[in-house]
Each structure stands twice: as structure tokens, then as C-alpha cells.
């Protein structure tokens, strides 16, 4: 069975590009995650599936923060080619993926105290002054509270072209290296404008706009393959 079935697990680093950028900000789109692949030999081909999950590190975008992740599932067709003791495998994949984007708030929104101190509305001798203005919520990094609860996700088709290189370690155990290029069409490429605007006008909308989704990505991975190369 190990001569016909192949299972692989790998650690992956990714770099995404494309999509509208937030004004004045150029995020690098770097992510890290893992991949799981399986295939069964049929003639000279190996037909199977590949799962991929990656997440970008939380990052500052102008005056706000962003978290982003991506999960995809692909049906794959590969052609193993022996090169000495190694096996080089070109692979094509087609499937679907889900990318999510979430705003990371810097702090909790301050709650205004609507009752001024030492004020009793029933006592005409008490002077009731208006409450003090609510202070702006910010953190040492300069981010501010937006409060729109932005958390969105898109599900789009995926197409991938990859090359795997399997180096033998033991019987039916291989060191597995991966390089792949993935297209992510029909995603939300435009920027995410804030749904809630600052009523004081002190925070311009562009300063809390998040970048749109990328339309291409590159993944490099290293892992272990068991069974057929």
C-alpha cells in the first residue's frame, strides 16, 4: 500500500500580492501555516488532494490593526519523475478557498460618564454641569479605536501550479520540499473602508481603511512524506 499511497505534512511560508492597498501602506502579505497532501498512484499519475491553511501576523495599518488568514482545499494531479534518488513532481491543483479579514482594535472604547459628579437634578441648589468629553482611545503604538466590528470572509475558486521535490530518508519516508504559485480570482480586491466614521472628524477614513484581498500568492514548504514519493 505504501508504494501506491502518499501522505505528506509540511510547514509553509507564503507571500501574497495584488489587491488594493490601504492609502500610504504597503503590507508585505507574508503568512505562515501548514499543508496536508495525499494522493494515490494511478498509472504514471498521482491523483489526490491538498489542504492549506495560513495566517498573517497581526499588523498595524496606519491608525488601525488587521488580522488575516486563508484556508483552501484543492484537488490535485501530479506526475512523479525520478531524478537520480530524488523524485521531482510537477503538480496542478484546482479547488476553493476561504479568506477572512478582521479589524484588530487597539483598546476598548471609553464609556462616557453621563452623570456629572456631585449633581442631583432634583436639588435646585446643585449646579449640574455637562459631562466632560469622552477621551480618544489610543494605544502607545498610535492606533485608535474604530468600533465598526469589521470581520468579513470571501469564498473563491483557487488554481495552483506546484513543484515538489522528494529526497529519500528511509524506506517509504521522504523529505518533501514544495514551491507553489496560487491564483485567487474573484476575491474582494478593493479596500475595506470603515463602516463607522469618527463623529469628531479627527480621524480621516483613509487612516483606518484596511487593504483588499490579494489575487496571487507564492508558498514555500518543507515537510515529511510517507509512502510513494
Amino acid at each position: 500500500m505504501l508504494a501506491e499511497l502518499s501522505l505528506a505534512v509540511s510547514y509553509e511560508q507564503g507571500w501574497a500580492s495584488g489587491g488594493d492597498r490601504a492609502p500610504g501602506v504597503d503590507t508585505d502579505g507574508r503568512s505562515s501555516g501548514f499543508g496536508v497532501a495525499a494522493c494515490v498512484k494511478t498509472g504514471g499519475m498521482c491523483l489526490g488532494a491538498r489542504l492549506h491553511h495560513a495566517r498573517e501576523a497581526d499588523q498595524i495599518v496606519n491608525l488601525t490593526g488587521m488580522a488575516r488568514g486563508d484556508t483552501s482545499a484543492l484537488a490535485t494531479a501530479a506526475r512523479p519523475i525520478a531524478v537520480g534518488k530524488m523524485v521531482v513532481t510537477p503538480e496542478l491543483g484546482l479547488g476553493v478557498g476561504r479568506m477572512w479579514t478582521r479589524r484588530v482594535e487597539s483598546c476598548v472604547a471609553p464609556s462616557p460618564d453621563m452623570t456629572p459628579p456631585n449633581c442631583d437634578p432634583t436639588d435646585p441648589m446643585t449646579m449640574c454641569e455637562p459631562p466632560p468629553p469622552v477621551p480618544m482611545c489610543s494605544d502607545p503604538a498610535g492606533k485608535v479605536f474604530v468600533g465598526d466590528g469589521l470581520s468579513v470572509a470571501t469564498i473563491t475558486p483557487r488554481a495552483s501550479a506546484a513543484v515538489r521535490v522528494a529526497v529519500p530518508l528511509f524506506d517509504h519516508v521522504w523529505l518533501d520540499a514544495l514551491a507553489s504559485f496560487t491564483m485567487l480570482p474573484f476575491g474582494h480586491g478593493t479596500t475595506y473602508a470603515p463602516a463607522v466614521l469618527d463623529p469628531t472628524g479627527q480621524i480621516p477614513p483613509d487612516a483606518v481603511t484596511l487593504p483588499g484581498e490579494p489575487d496571487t500568492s507564492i508558498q514555500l514548504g518543507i515537510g515529511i512524506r510517507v509512502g510513494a514519493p
Side-chain angles (χ1 to χ4, degrees):
M1 184 177 65
L2 292 178
E4 303 298 329
L5 177 64
S6 174
L7 299 172
V9 178
S10 60
Y11 170 77
E12 298 180 1
Q13 284 277 354
W15 293 265
S17 62
D20 292 345
R21 297 295 163 192
V25 175
D26 185 17
T27 58
D28 59 11
R30 183 181 302 177
S31 63
S32 60
F34 64 91
V36 178
C39 70
V40 177
K41 278 193 171 182
T42 303
M45 302 293 292
C46 200
L47 305 179
R50 175 154 56 100
L51 301 177
H52 166 79
H53 174 77
R55 189 181 189 279
E56 297 181 17
D58 294 356
Q59 54 192 296
I60 295 176
V61 179
N62 272 331
L63 298 182
T64 187
M66 181 186 74
R68 174 173 287 169
D70 180 60
T71 302
S72 62
L74 303 175
T76 60
R79 174 79 177 185
I81 303 171
V83 180
K85 293 184 177 180
M86 300 187 304
V87 177
V88 178
T89 306
E91 177 186 279
L92 296 177
L94 189 64
V96 67
R98 178 182 183 271
M99 177 169 285
W100 57 268
T101 303
R102 178 172 59 86
R103 187 183 301 281
V104 178
E105 296 289 7
S106 59
C107 51
V108 178
S111 299
D113 184 2
M114 301 307 295
T115 303
N118 303 321
C119 174
D120 183 2
T122 63
D123 184 1
M125 301 301 294
T126 302
M127 299 296 293
C128 289
E129 298 180 356
V134 179
M136 181 181 296
C137 172
S138 62
D139 68 359
K143 295 186 295 181
V144 299
F145 181 83
V146 179
D148 62 353
L150 177 63
S151 181
V152 294
T154 59
I155 298 176
T156 59
R158 304 292 166 88
S160 172
V163 175
R164 292 183 176 274
V165 178
V167 179
L169 298 177
F170 313 102
D171 287 344
H172 303 296
V173 179
W174 308 75
L175 179 66
D176 196 52
L178 166 73
S180 70
F181 174 79
T182 304
M183 298 182 63
L184 302 79
F186 312 121
H188 186 97
T190 57
T191 55
Y192 290 101
V196 176
L197 300 180
D198 176 26
T200 67
Q202 300 178 18
I203 305 174
D206 285 354
V208 290
T209 294
L210 297 183
E213 296 177 352
D215 51 28
T216 60
S217 68
I218 295 173
Q219 294 86 34
L220 298 179
I222 189 73
I224 295 294
R225 180 175 292 269
V226 178

